């Protein structure tokens, strides 16, 4: 046996060797994940607390049915309301009560203020338009009336359904669709890696349809929490599931195994708190109230909310938002499908022999 030492035997590893060993160590990705999860925990708690813990009015669109500017009673009441809320009451003037009611149905305003000359006002609220906004106005308006010597009558002209007294069920079912949407795509990437690009899109659409049906059936038929317009609600949920799944697939194509980070950030940390589902957009911090409508969770909540409480007044905008995210995600995935970690050879067997 030769006594010649092997190269490097008995000597300290060089810095380059240490870096190479560190990169190959299974402890490195685990340590990185620990740091990421720590930051994610803080961001998750912070984003939801910032958005929802202390909802504060910024600007509340309100309809008036009389010339409130010349009515001292109306001006006095509105000034007192703004002072108490520390927020602007954005007034929209309508010629008739019917026009004001239509504005409520179209979700352009959250309340109707009917001002009378005999020191009386009637405030018609729409809890279905935003339970948190209605609650704030219902608590504040009588107090302002007492302070200003004005008789105030508060009515709820569009109440929430009996099984959803806090108006949160739509937020919960939309949240379920968003999370299951991208979790489903994650599971396909792990357990069905061999799917071709077309098959991956097709199976995403399949679990979206079945998952949307399951959510709607559970909430409506099994629990009776909401009386849903079933087909419309089912398709909105399916659209949300598909969009969320394809968003993850897009990021998986672009950044590989770290795709969960941008997906979680976009859909959960930013999208869900700003959706308007748990806290109505007039009570959200201003940037979130604007951004949320352009993200899939906000679009899903808006479409579902209108379907359930404002039948016949559905808007195209939330569907265009969902379609835009779905189309962009599919296009990115399809264009760079060769970068996706999954897939398989599709050549005929005789060509591979």
């Amino acid at each position: 046996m030769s006594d010649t030492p092997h190269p490097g035997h008995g000597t300290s590893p060089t810095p380059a060797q240490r870096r190479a060993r560190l990169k190959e160590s299974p402890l490195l990705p685990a340590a990185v994940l620990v740091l990421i999860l720590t930051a994610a925990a803080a961001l998750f708690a912070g984003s939801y607390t910032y958005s929802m813990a202390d909802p504060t009015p910024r600007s509340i669109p309100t309809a008036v049915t009389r010339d409130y500017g010349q009515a001292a009673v109306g001006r006095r009441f509105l000034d007192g309301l703004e002072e108490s809320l520390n927020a602007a009451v954005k007034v929209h003037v309508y010629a008739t009560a019917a026009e004001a009611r239509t504005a409520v149905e179209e979700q352009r305003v959250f309340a109707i203020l009917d001002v009378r000359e005999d020191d009386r006002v009637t405030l018609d609220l729409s809890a279905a338009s935003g339970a948190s906004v209605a609650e704030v106005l219902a608590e504040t308006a009588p107090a302002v009336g007492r302070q200003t010597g004005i008789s105030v009558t508060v009515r709820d002209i569009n109440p929430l359904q009996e099984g959803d007294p806090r108006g949160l069920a739509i937020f919960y079912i939309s949240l379920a669709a968003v999370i299951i949407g991208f979790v489903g795509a994650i599971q396909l990437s792990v357990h069905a890696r061999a799917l071709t690009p077309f098959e991956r899109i097709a199976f995403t659409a399949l679990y979206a349809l079945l998952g949307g049906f399951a959510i709607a059936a559970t909430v409506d038929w099994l629990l009776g929490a909401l009386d849903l317009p079933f087909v419309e609600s089912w398709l909105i949920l399916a659209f949300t599931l598909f969009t969320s799944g394809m968003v993850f697939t897009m990021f998986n194509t672009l950044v590989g195994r770290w795709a969960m980070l941008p997906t979680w950030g976009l859909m959960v940390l930013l999208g869900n708190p700003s959706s308007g589902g748990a806290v109505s957009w007039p009570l959200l911090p201003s940037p979130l109230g604007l951004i949320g409508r352009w993200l899939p969770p906000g679009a899903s909540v808006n479409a579902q909310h209108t379907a359930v409480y404002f039948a016949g007044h559905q808007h195209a905008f939330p569907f265009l938002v969902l379609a835009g995210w779905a189309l962009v995600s599919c296009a990115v995935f399809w264009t760079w499908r060769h970068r996706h970690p999954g897939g398989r050879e599709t050549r005929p067997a005789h060509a591979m022999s």
Side-chain angles (χ1 to χ4, degrees), residues 255-299:
V255 297
R257 62 180 177 176
W258 301 110
M260 185 59 183
L261 295 180
T263 304
W264 184 264
L266 179 71
M267 306 295 278
V268 178
L269 295 184
L270 182 59
N272 283 324
S274 65
S275 67
V279 176
S280 301
W281 62 262
L283 305 185
L284 289 171
S286 298
L288 292 182
L290 178 63
I291 294 171
R293 306 175 202 185
W294 292 89
L295 299 177

Side-chain angles (χ1 to χ4, degrees), residues 122-165:
T122 299
L123 186 63
D124 288 334
L125 305 177
S126 173
S129 299
S132 49
V133 173
E135 184 177 354
V136 168
L137 290 175
E139 291 176 353
T140 306
V144 172
R146 289 190 293 271
Q147 294 170 3
T148 57
I150 297 171
S151 175
V152 179
T153 301
V154 178
R155 304 181 303 187
D156 189 350
I157 60 174
N158 196 2
L160 294 162
Q161 293 186 17
E162 185 177 350
D164 184 29

Side-chain angles (χ1 to χ4, degrees), residues 44 48 173-186 207 240-241 244-245 260 264 267-268 272:
F44 185 82
Y48 279 69
I173 66 175
S174 300
L175 177 64
V178 167
I179 292 179
I180 297 302
F182 66 72
V183 168
I186 292 172
Y207 79 66
T240 304
L241 280 151
S244 183
M260 185 59 183
W264 184 264
M267 306 295 278
V268 178
N272 283 324

Side-chain angles (χ1 to χ4, degrees), residues 327-347:
L327 287 173
V328 168
S329 299
C330 288
V332 170
F333 167 55
W334 192 264
T335 302
W336 286 282
R337 57 191 181 275
H338 59 280
R339 296 183 53 181
H340 191 275
R344 69 179 186 275
E345 293 287 342
T346 57
R347 288 180 296 170

Side-chain angles (χ1 to χ4, degrees), residues 62 94 104 117 165 180 193 198 207 217 235 271 275 283 287 319 323 326 353:
T62 303
Y94 296 93
V104 171
E117 296 289 350
I180 297 302
R193 292 178 61 87
F198 176 79
Y207 79 66
L235 294 180
S275 67
L283 305 185
F319 295 96
S353 59

Side-chain angles (χ1 to χ4, degrees), residues 173 176-177 180 204-223 226 228-242 304:
I173 66 175
I180 297 302
T204 302
L206 179 60
Y207 79 66
L209 282 170
L210 295 177
F213 181 89
I215 293 172
T218 299
V219 171
D220 189 343
W221 299 346
L222 182 61
L223 300 178
L226 283 174
L228 298 174
F230 194 85
V231 173
E232 185 178 3
S233 290
W234 168 22
L235 294 180
I236 292 169
L237 290 167
F239 204 173
T240 304
L241 280 151
F242 178 77
Q304 196 69 254

Side-chain angles (χ1 to χ4, degrees), residues 63-84:
V64 296
T65 56
R66 296 176 185 273
D67 189 356
Y68 76 98
Q70 296 178 7
V73 173
R75 189 67 267 167
R76 194 164 78 248
F77 177 78
L78 285 173
D79 288 345
L81 192 62
E82 289 186 334
E83 183 178 353
S84 295

